[in-house]
Amino acid sequence: MRSRKTARAVQEADQRGEIDREAEDFIRLHHAENPAAGPVRPRLREVLAEIAQTGTYTHTPDELTFGARVAWRNSGRCIGRLYWRSLRVRDRRHVDTADGVADECVEHLRAATNGGRIRPTITVLAPERPGEPAPRIWNGQLIRYAGYVLPEGGVAGDPAHTELTEWARRLGWRGEGTRFDVLPLIIEVKGGLTLHEVPPEVILEVPLRHPRHAWFADLGLKWHAVPAISNMSLEIGGVTYPCAPFNGWYMGSEIGARNLADLDRYNQLPVVAERMGLDTSHDRTLWRDQALVELNIAVLHSFAEDGVTMTDHHTEAGRFMAHLEREERNGRICPADWSWIVPPLSGATTPVFHRYYDDVRLTPAFNHRPTA
Ligand code: ARG
């Protein structure tokens, strides 16, 4: 039987072999797609030498930018990948303190929101290094609404975030108790947790109203403009960046057909149906479907009227078909997961419904981190 130490040495050697291989694949990909990067051999030698010495290596700014963009290109669940090359990459790899991370999240929101003309952006903070754990953001997104479990049962706010809300509370946060209280960021650095409020001036929100139903505004619904995912790690060529918040812009149905409509989210279809005067006595009246369409019209209309970037599922499905075609022309596999690509309403009215996809895992990639 191997001693513990030998077993660990073997494991470390395995990991090193792993990072060598992944680094090499990535560097070759970068050079193959970017002739301007010059010959690949010298860069490969440099990277492998750095790994031999330190157990990891440092991406050049060009490699980081390319790696982050390709991680988006490889995201099989995302319908919005046509513009993957336009991702703006904020290289903040030197930032590894909780306050530093929080400040960068705020700057990210300011830059990405851009007064409503939303810019797909990623901020890359300190990577994982041997013996040096990287910071982490516990929030699933930079902007998330609290969910308060009520003593009489039920939830005020977003039921998807009751656990995060409870963590914030334990760390000393007290929300106002409205349905749309933005949670503070919970940042973990070297095992310690800290709370950081997101300043209201970087939180753009859109109050929802309907082009024909004046009563809709009275429902008091709204949503935030920027979906900025903050709990996935960016993996590039064997290097892991666990703290790399990124955003695109919303597709209306994410809000209108899921966040505000799901039974276990804001569950607004019965409320909308009632105001519309629909017959809710039987499923076959399709009151849910009618209410769903009006709710989605309200979301798209409100964002458009406020000049906040948003797309609808028909436009985005068309763009995705163009993306597939372009990827194929470039001789690449485009990984896609049908159950995520097809929009949550009117699926078969969009072209993405009527075919199958290659659902393979390619790297660079965004990975879900195990939740703490
Ligand atoms: N579906 C998530 C939400 O409703 C956002 C996921 C990312 N969406 C995007 N359009 N980039 O908050």
Side-chain angles (χ1 to χ4, degrees), residues 141 144 227 229 248-251 254 259:
Q141 290 186 29
R144 294 277 73 174
I229 294 177
W249 51 72
Y250 264 117
M251 179 162 87
E254 299 182 80
N259 303 348

Side-chain angles (χ1 to χ4, degrees), residues 186-229:
I186 303 182
I187 297 175
E188 178 182 349
V189 170
K190 298 192 171 76
L193 292 178
T194 45
L195 280 185
H196 306 260
E197 287 285 352
V198 182
E201 70 263 24
V202 297
I203 305 171
L204 180 60
E205 294 178 301
V206 177
L208 301 182
R209 62 272 188 190
H210 190 284
R212 289 175 305 277
H213 299 310
W215 51 261
F216 197 98
D218 304 333
L219 300 178
L221 301 175
K222 61 175 173 177
W223 206 259
H224 54 91
V226 177
I229 294 177

Side-chain angles (χ1 to χ4, degrees), residues 29 37-38 50 78 115 154 159 204 233-234 236 248 270 312 318 328:
L29 183 72
E50 193 180 339
C78 177
L204 180 60
S233 352
L234 168 62
I236 303 174
D312 66 84
E328 194 169 342

